[in-house]
Amino acid sequence: MGSAAAEPGLAGPDDAAAPFASAASPAAEPGSAPEAPVVRGGTSRSTRWQAIQSMFVDDPRSSLELAAGLINDSVESIVMSVKEQQHSLRSAWQGDDPGTEELRTTLRHYRTFWNRLEDFSRET
């Protein structure tokens, strides 16, 4: 059986997390765009996905049950990552009376984060 990426209509093991793949805080650099935290366990999920595909021939139903569990785990990781980024952005401006420049920079980070969420939403 070929890889998931080679099969039409199937995403690779880490494709769902792509919009949230790197980890910089909003305060890292004034001109940098914020990145959502890394979705952890990519290698492990990749290995799990390969095992799930391999077992399909012998036990299709169990393979699908495991695939559903893997997707559930990935969705939970993505949601946690988005919430962590949201919290990080909020913390950047709700502290000790931030200056206008800090607020402007944080707004740029919000815009970048918004664009990533919109891109992710369009893909689904």
PDB file of all heavy atoms in Angstrom, residues 15-20 78-79 82 112-124:
ATOM      1  N   ASP A  15      -0.395  16.656   7.987  1.00  0.00           N
ATOM      2  CA  ASP A  15      -0.964  17.734   7.201  1.00  0.00           C
ATOM      3  C   ASP A  15      -1.953  18.582   7.981  1.00  0.00           C
ATOM      4  O   ASP A  15      -2.032  19.776   7.791  1.00  0.00           O
ATOM      5  CB  ASP A  15      -1.660  17.204   5.939  1.00  0.00           C
ATOM      6  CG  ASP A  15      -0.660  16.694   4.910  1.00  0.00           C
ATOM      7  OD1 ASP A  15       0.569  16.910   5.099  1.00  0.00           O
ATOM      8  OD2 ASP A  15      -1.095  16.077   3.937  1.00  0.00           O
ATOM      9  N   ALA A  16      -2.719  17.978   8.867  1.00  0.00           N
ATOM     10  CA  ALA A  16      -3.731  18.727   9.607  1.00  0.00           C
ATOM     11  C   ALA A  16      -3.113  19.774  10.513  1.00  0.00           C
ATOM     12  O   ALA A  16      -3.710  20.798  10.791  1.00  0.00           O
ATOM     13  CB  ALA A  16      -4.595  17.772  10.446  1.00  0.00           C
ATOM     14  N   ALA A  17      -1.915  19.533  10.980  1.00  0.00           N
ATOM     15  CA  ALA A  17      -1.276  20.452  11.905  1.00  0.00           C
ATOM     16  C   ALA A  17      -0.447  21.520  11.198  1.00  0.00           C
ATOM     17  O   ALA A  17       0.084  22.400  11.845  1.00  0.00           O
ATOM     18  CB  ALA A  17      -0.390  19.674  12.874  1.00  0.00           C
ATOM     19  N   ALA A  18      -0.331  21.456   9.902  1.00  0.00           N
ATOM     20  CA  ALA A  18       0.554  22.356   9.171  1.00  0.00           C
ATOM     21  C   ALA A  18       0.342  23.837   9.473  1.00  0.00           C
ATOM     22  O   ALA A  18       1.310  24.565   9.607  1.00  0.00           O
ATOM     23  CB  ALA A  18       0.449  22.100   7.670  1.00  0.00           C
ATOM     24  N   PRO A  19      -0.904  24.346   9.615  1.00  0.00           N
ATOM     25  CA  PRO A  19      -1.052  25.770   9.893  1.00  0.00           C
ATOM     26  C   PRO A  19      -0.487  26.182  11.237  1.00  0.00           C
ATOM     27  O   PRO A  19      -0.305  27.347  11.498  1.00  0.00           O
ATOM     28  CB  PRO A  19      -2.569  25.994   9.872  1.00  0.00           C
ATOM     29  CG  PRO A  19      -3.127  24.842   9.150  1.00  0.00           C
ATOM     30  CD  PRO A  19      -2.181  23.700   9.380  1.00  0.00           C
ATOM     31  N   PHE A  20      -0.213  25.245  12.090  1.00  0.00           N
ATOM     32  CA  PHE A  20       0.232  25.553  13.441  1.00  0.00           C
ATOM     33  C   PHE A  20       1.545  24.851  13.740  1.00  0.00           C
ATOM     34  O   PHE A  20       1.731  24.314  14.802  1.00  0.00           O
ATOM     35  CB  PHE A  20      -0.836  25.119  14.451  1.00  0.00           C
ATOM     36  CG  PHE A  20      -2.182  25.615  14.072  1.00  0.00           C
ATOM     37  CD1 PHE A  20      -3.121  24.761  13.539  1.00  0.00           C
ATOM     38  CD2 PHE A  20      -2.504  26.950  14.188  1.00  0.00           C
ATOM     39  CE1 PHE A  20      -4.360  25.236  13.158  1.00  0.00           C
ATOM     40  CE2 PHE A  20      -3.738  27.423  13.803  1.00  0.00           C
ATOM     41  CZ  PHE A  20      -4.665  26.560  13.291  1.00  0.00           C
ATOM     42  N   ILE A  78      -4.501  20.015  18.016  1.00  0.00           N
ATOM     43  CA  ILE A  78      -4.663  21.267  17.271  1.00  0.00           C
ATOM     44  C   ILE A  78      -5.463  22.272  18.097  1.00  0.00           C
ATOM     45  O   ILE A  78      -5.086  23.441  18.198  1.00  0.00           O
ATOM     46  CB  ILE A  78      -5.330  21.018  15.907  1.00  0.00           C
ATOM     47  CG1 ILE A  78      -4.357  20.267  14.994  1.00  0.00           C
ATOM     48  CG2 ILE A  78      -5.782  22.324  15.262  1.00  0.00           C
ATOM     49  CD1 ILE A  78      -4.993  19.733  13.722  1.00  0.00           C
ATOM     50  N   VAL A  79      -6.537  21.824  18.700  1.00  0.00           N
ATOM     51  CA  VAL A  79      -7.363  22.719  19.520  1.00  0.00           C
ATOM     52  C   VAL A  79      -6.547  23.266  20.688  1.00  0.00           C
ATOM     53  O   VAL A  79      -6.583  24.471  20.967  1.00  0.00           O
ATOM     54  CB  VAL A  79      -8.640  21.987  20.014  1.00  0.00           C
ATOM     55  CG1 VAL A  79      -9.350  22.786  21.094  1.00  0.00           C
ATOM     56  CG2 VAL A  79      -9.570  21.710  18.846  1.00  0.00           C
ATOM     57  N   VAL A  82      -4.140  25.927  19.356  1.00  0.00           N
ATOM     58  CA  VAL A  82      -4.830  27.178  19.042  1.00  0.00           C
ATOM     59  C   VAL A  82      -5.161  27.937  20.330  1.00  0.00           C
ATOM     60  O   VAL A  82      -4.951  29.152  20.417  1.00  0.00           O
ATOM     61  CB  VAL A  82      -6.102  26.918  18.202  1.00  0.00           C
ATOM     62  CG1 VAL A  82      -6.977  28.152  18.115  1.00  0.00           C
ATOM     63  CG2 VAL A  82      -5.724  26.426  16.814  1.00  0.00           C
ATOM     64  N   THR A 112      -1.991  37.895  11.771  1.00  0.00           N
ATOM     65  CA  THR A 112      -1.325  36.717  11.218  1.00  0.00           C
ATOM     66  C   THR A 112      -1.998  35.439  11.704  1.00  0.00           C
ATOM     67  O   THR A 112      -2.241  34.513  10.924  1.00  0.00           O
ATOM     68  CB  THR A 112       0.169  36.717  11.614  1.00  0.00           C
ATOM     69  OG1 THR A 112       0.770  37.898  11.098  1.00  0.00           O
ATOM     70  CG2 THR A 112       0.882  35.498  11.074  1.00  0.00           C
ATOM     71  N   PHE A 113      -2.306  35.392  12.971  1.00  0.00           N
ATOM     72  CA  PHE A 113      -2.977  34.219  13.545  1.00  0.00           C
ATOM     73  C   PHE A 113      -4.356  34.047  12.907  1.00  0.00           C
ATOM     74  O   PHE A 113      -4.755  32.935  12.539  1.00  0.00           O
ATOM     75  CB  PHE A 113      -3.071  34.383  15.063  1.00  0.00           C
ATOM     76  CG  PHE A 113      -3.568  33.172  15.787  1.00  0.00           C
ATOM     77  CD1 PHE A 113      -3.013  31.927  15.568  1.00  0.00           C
ATOM     78  CD2 PHE A 113      -4.586  33.286  16.721  1.00  0.00           C
ATOM     79  CE1 PHE A 113      -3.460  30.810  16.260  1.00  0.00           C
ATOM     80  CE2 PHE A 113      -5.039  32.182  17.417  1.00  0.00           C
ATOM     81  CZ  PHE A 113      -4.486  30.941  17.185  1.00  0.00           C
ATOM     82  N   TRP A 114      -5.094  35.133  12.754  1.00  0.00           N
ATOM     83  CA  TRP A 114      -6.407  35.107  12.109  1.00  0.00           C
ATOM     84  C   TRP A 114      -6.300  34.543  10.686  1.00  0.00           C
ATOM     85  O   TRP A 114      -7.092  33.697  10.286  1.00  0.00           O
ATOM     86  CB  TRP A 114      -7.006  36.506  12.079  1.00  0.00           C
ATOM     87  CG  TRP A 114      -8.221  36.610  11.217  1.00  0.00           C
ATOM     88  CD1 TRP A 114      -8.313  37.138   9.974  1.00  0.00           C
ATOM     89  CD2 TRP A 114      -9.531  36.128  11.520  1.00  0.00           C
ATOM     90  NE1 TRP A 114      -9.590  37.033   9.489  1.00  0.00           N
ATOM     91  CE2 TRP A 114     -10.360  36.410  10.423  1.00  0.00           C
ATOM     92  CE3 TRP A 114     -10.089  35.483  12.618  1.00  0.00           C
ATOM     93  CZ2 TRP A 114     -11.708  36.072  10.393  1.00  0.00           C
ATOM     94  CZ3 TRP A 114     -11.435  35.156  12.578  1.00  0.00           C
ATOM     95  CH2 TRP A 114     -12.215  35.449  11.481  1.00  0.00           C
ATOM     96  N   ASN A 115      -5.301  35.019   9.945  1.00  0.00           N
ATOM     97  CA  ASN A 115      -5.116  34.530   8.577  1.00  0.00           C
ATOM     98  C   ASN A 115      -4.845  33.024   8.552  1.00  0.00           C
ATOM     99  O   ASN A 115      -5.369  32.311   7.686  1.00  0.00           O
ATOM    100  CB  ASN A 115      -3.979  35.285   7.875  1.00  0.00           C
ATOM    101  CG  ASN A 115      -4.367  36.710   7.551  1.00  0.00           C
ATOM    102  OD1 ASN A 115      -5.538  37.047   7.423  1.00  0.00           O
ATOM    103  ND2 ASN A 115      -3.368  37.572   7.436  1.00  0.00           N
ATOM    104  N   ARG A 116      -4.051  32.539   9.483  1.00  0.00           N
ATOM    105  CA  ARG A 116      -3.796  31.093   9.548  1.00  0.00           C
ATOM    106  C   ARG A 116      -5.075  30.323   9.845  1.00  0.00           C
ATOM    107  O   ARG A 116      -5.323  29.272   9.265  1.00  0.00           O
ATOM    108  CB  ARG A 116      -2.764  30.787  10.619  1.00  0.00           C
ATOM    109  CG  ARG A 116      -1.380  31.082  10.179  1.00  0.00           C
ATOM    110  CD  ARG A 116      -0.382  30.399  11.107  1.00  0.00           C
ATOM    111  NE  ARG A 116       0.920  30.885  10.749  1.00  0.00           N
ATOM    112  CZ  ARG A 116       1.604  31.788  11.442  1.00  0.00           C
ATOM    113  NH1 ARG A 116       1.115  32.271  12.552  1.00  0.00           N
ATOM    114  NH2 ARG A 116       2.766  32.198  11.022  1.00  0.00           N
ATOM    115  N   LEU A 117      -5.866  30.842  10.768  1.00  0.00           N
ATOM    116  CA  LEU A 117      -7.133  30.164  11.090  1.00  0.00           C
ATOM    117  C   LEU A 117      -8.065  30.175   9.885  1.00  0.00           C
ATOM    118  O   LEU A 117      -8.732  29.171   9.599  1.00  0.00           O
ATOM    119  CB  LEU A 117      -7.805  30.843  12.291  1.00  0.00           C
ATOM    120  CG  LEU A 117      -7.109  30.653  13.627  1.00  0.00           C
ATOM    121  CD1 LEU A 117      -7.770  31.526  14.689  1.00  0.00           C
ATOM    122  CD2 LEU A 117      -7.105  29.201  14.054  1.00  0.00           C
ATOM    123  N   GLU A 118      -8.124  31.296   9.183  1.00  0.00           N
ATOM    124  CA  GLU A 118      -8.964  31.377   7.983  1.00  0.00           C
ATOM    125  C   GLU A 118      -8.478  30.401   6.912  1.00  0.00           C
ATOM    126  O   GLU A 118      -9.290  29.728   6.281  1.00  0.00           O
ATOM    127  CB  GLU A 118      -8.968  32.810   7.438  1.00  0.00           C
ATOM    128  CG  GLU A 118      -9.822  33.750   8.226  1.00  0.00           C
ATOM    129  CD  GLU A 118     -11.286  33.407   8.111  1.00  0.00           C
ATOM    130  OE1 GLU A 118     -11.851  33.516   7.018  1.00  0.00           O
ATOM    131  OE2 GLU A 118     -11.856  33.019   9.135  1.00  0.00           O
ATOM    132  N   ASP A 119      -7.175  30.323   6.693  1.00  0.00           N
ATOM    133  CA  ASP A 119      -6.628  29.380   5.712  1.00  0.00           C
ATOM    134  C   ASP A 119      -6.983  27.952   6.086  1.00  0.00           C
ATOM    135  O   ASP A 119      -7.376  27.150   5.251  1.00  0.00           O
ATOM    136  CB  ASP A 119      -5.106  29.519   5.595  1.00  0.00           C
ATOM    137  CG  ASP A 119      -4.678  30.801   4.922  1.00  0.00           C
ATOM    138  OD1 ASP A 119      -5.528  31.472   4.280  1.00  0.00           O
ATOM    139  OD2 ASP A 119      -3.485  31.152   5.053  1.00  0.00           O
ATOM    140  N   PHE A 120      -6.839  27.634   7.360  1.00  0.00           N
ATOM    141  CA  PHE A 120      -7.156  26.288   7.841  1.00  0.00           C
ATOM    142  C   PHE A 120      -8.641  26.002   7.633  1.00  0.00           C
ATOM    143  O   PHE A 120      -9.006  24.915   7.185  1.00  0.00           O
ATOM    144  CB  PHE A 120      -6.783  26.159   9.309  1.00  0.00           C
ATOM    145  CG  PHE A 120      -6.996  24.783   9.861  1.00  0.00           C
ATOM    146  CD1 PHE A 120      -6.138  23.741   9.510  1.00  0.00           C
ATOM    147  CD2 PHE A 120      -8.033  24.523  10.726  1.00  0.00           C
ATOM    148  CE1 PHE A 120      -6.332  22.470  10.012  1.00  0.00           C
ATOM    149  CE2 PHE A 120      -8.231  23.252  11.236  1.00  0.00           C
ATOM    150  CZ  PHE A 120      -7.373  22.220  10.888  1.00  0.00           C
ATOM    151  N   SER A 121      -9.498  26.972   7.922  1.00  0.00           N
ATOM    152  CA  SER A 121     -10.937  26.786   7.756  1.00  0.00           C
ATOM    153  C   SER A 121     -11.317  26.562   6.297  1.00  0.00           C
ATOM    154  O   SER A 121     -12.195  25.776   5.989  1.00  0.00           O
ATOM    155  CB  SER A 121     -11.702  28.011   8.273  1.00  0.00           C
ATOM    156  OG  SER A 121     -11.512  28.146   9.650  1.00  0.00           O
ATOM    157  N   ARG A 122     -10.657  27.277   5.382  1.00  0.00           N
ATOM    158  CA  ARG A 122     -10.947  27.113   3.963  1.00  0.00           C
ATOM    159  C   ARG A 122     -10.557  25.733   3.450  1.00  0.00           C
ATOM    160  O   ARG A 122     -11.157  25.227   2.513  1.00  0.00           O
ATOM    161  CB  ARG A 122     -10.238  28.185   3.151  1.00  0.00           C
ATOM    162  CG  ARG A 122     -10.965  29.506   3.118  1.00  0.00           C
ATOM    163  CD  ARG A 122     -10.360  30.422   2.072  1.00  0.00           C
ATOM    164  NE  ARG A 122      -9.066  30.947   2.474  1.00  0.00           N
ATOM    165  CZ  ARG A 122      -8.901  32.078   3.150  1.00  0.00           C
ATOM    166  NH1 ARG A 122      -9.941  32.798   3.476  1.00  0.00           N
ATOM    167  NH2 ARG A 122      -7.707  32.495   3.471  1.00  0.00           N
ATOM    168  N   GLU A 123      -9.530  25.139   4.040  1.00  0.00           N
ATOM    169  CA  GLU A 123      -9.070  23.831   3.609  1.00  0.00           C
ATOM    170  C   GLU A 123     -10.029  22.726   3.998  1.00  0.00           C
ATOM    171  O   GLU A 123     -10.003  21.662   3.409  1.00  0.00           O
ATOM    172  CB  GLU A 123      -7.684  23.538   4.194  1.00  0.00           C
ATOM    173  CG  GLU A 123      -6.599  24.403   3.604  1.00  0.00           C
ATOM    174  CD  GLU A 123      -5.260  24.172   4.274  1.00  0.00           C
ATOM    175  OE1 GLU A 123      -5.132  23.217   5.047  1.00  0.00           O
ATOM    176  OE2 GLU A 123      -4.348  24.960   4.016  1.00  0.00           O
ATOM    177  N   THR A 124     -10.847  22.955   4.996  1.00  0.00           N
ATOM    178  CA  THR A 124     -11.732  21.898   5.463  1.00  0.00           C
ATOM    179  C   THR A 124     -13.064  21.923   4.797  1.00  0.00           C
ATOM    180  O   THR A 124     -13.488  22.773   4.144  1.00  0.00           O
ATOM    181  CB  THR A 124     -11.939  21.978   6.987  1.00  0.00           C
ATOM    182  OG1 THR A 124     -12.453  23.251   7.331  1.00  0.00           O
ATOM    183  CG2 THR A 124     -10.648  21.698   7.689  1.00  0.00           C
TER     184      THR A 124
END
